[in-house]
Amino acid sequence: MATAILIDGAFFLHRYRSLVSDAAAHTPEDVADTLVRWSLAHLNQQDERRDLYRIFFYDCPPLAKKVHMPVSGNLRDFGESAEARFRTGLHEALSRKRKLVLRYGQLADFGQWNLKPMVQRALVKHERAVDELRDEDFAYDVRQGGIDTLMALDVAGLVYKKQVDQIVLFSADADFVPLAKLVRPEGIDLVLDPMWKPVASELFNHIDGLRSTCPRPVREISGNV
């Protein structure tokens, strides 16, 4: 039987940028190549050589709209931002990879600017004044949605059609406990790759293995990042 690899895109990119010292200089193609390499490393463990079913990558299309900045009133085009260009380029690079499937969730656009938490704390402590606020003190409120549902649907299909006997999940989020509960009673080997991030305690009772294939961070202390 084969292995399916499911990757939470937002989680992967956050960890990638934390673990790779020169990540900001990497092209979308560089990141796509590394993602595939770290994924395929799960197929070669000790004396076991497994077949790949598919790599599933879950993400949302980047925000592409124009909004006025909260302080200056200047118009900002999110579609032309560096992150939007990078995300689009990454999705295109991944779409060209063999046995890799892109799954798109939806962005929930709340249409408002929120003060960043550290700025809120500074205001409460009277370390900052309201009339000193700048555009960069705010974050536009947009959130990913539907990723968990897409992953659950894919997992259900893989399990009940008996297409794989192992699933590798790139995540460290306790939100995936329901998904784990779906997998293991069906005899599927569930391996979690947290990319060296400390794992939510709720997950330990619902996985069969814990393995990170990316390079171990040199700054870790007592096994934690």
Side-chain angles (χ1 to χ4, degrees):
M1 293 290 283
T3 296
I5 299 174
L6 281 65
I7 302 176
D8 179 344
F11 169 80
F12 179 90
L13 288 175
H14 175 75
R15 292 299 295 158
Y16 183 93
R17 289 163 174 168
S18 297
L19 295 168
V20 180
S21 58
D22 57 344
H26 287 194
T27 66
E29 290 75 16
D30 293 333
V31 178
D33 289 343
T34 302
L35 180 148
V36 172
R37 185 171 67 253
W38 290 350
S39 297
L40 295 181
H42 280 283
L43 305 180
N44 296 282
Q45 295 296 325
Q46 298 178 353
D47 297 329
E48 185 179 22
R49 176 66 176 89
R50 301 190 59 85
D51 295 322
L52 175 67
Y53 176 74
R54 293 287 189 281
I55 299 171
F56 295 85
F57 184 82
Y58 301 85
D59 201 10
C60 289
L63 182 66
K65 65 177 293 187
K66 297 178 181 179
V67 297
H68 290 281
M69 300 298 289
V71 177
S72 67
N74 294 333
L75 193 64
R76 177 178 178 181
D77 186 351
F78 279 105
E80 293 299 319
S81 69
E83 181 62 19
R85 291 196 297 269
F86 172 83
R87 213 69 160 224
T88 299
L90 177 61
H91 295 166
E92 292 175 352
L94 290 173
S95 70
R96 294 191 291 269
K97 296 296 184 183
R98 186 173 183 274
K99 287 196 172 184
L100 193 147
V101 180
L102 289 175
R103 291 281 193 260
Y104 290 113
Q106 294 182 336
L107 288 177
D109 182 359
F110 293 89
Q112 63 184 15
W113 292 92
N114 293 334
L115 273 173
K116 296 178 179 178
M118 61 181 302
V119 178
Q120 294 183 37
R121 289 192 290 270
L123 288 173
V124 170
K125 294 178 180 180
H126 302 290
E127 297 171 350
R128 295 278 303 274
V130 173
D131 58 5
E132 296 175 347
L133 293 177
R134 302 180 297 274
D135 287 334
E136 53 266 33
D137 294 323
F138 294 81
Y140 191 72
D141 195 357
V142 60
R143 308 170 201 174
Q144 289 195 344
I147 299 297
D148 294 359
T149 301
L150 285 172
M151 295 180 80
L153 289 172
D154 284 337
V155 167
L158 293 169
V159 170
Y160 296 130
K161 293 179 182 178
K162 302 187 183 301
Q163 294 169 317
V164 302
D165 63 354
Q166 183 183 70
I167 290 176
V168 176
L169 176 63
F170 277 71
S171 181
D173 196 333
D175 289 346
F176 293 106
V177 167
L179 184 149
K181 288 181 177 180
L182 171 67
V183 170
R184 296 180 76 219
E186 300 300 322
I188 304 298
D189 183 43
L190 179 62
V191 177
L192 186 71
D193 187 333
M195 301 177 70
W196 301 110
K197 182 177 180 180
V199 176
S201 58
E202 300 95 316
L203 273 175
F204 278 109
N205 291 329
H206 304 286
I207 60 176
D208 297 300
L210 187 69
R211 181 192 305 137
S212 293
T213 57
C214 57
R216 195 180 187 104
V218 296
R219 63 182 179 279
E220 66 176 353
I221 301 176
S222 300
N224 291 330
V225 181

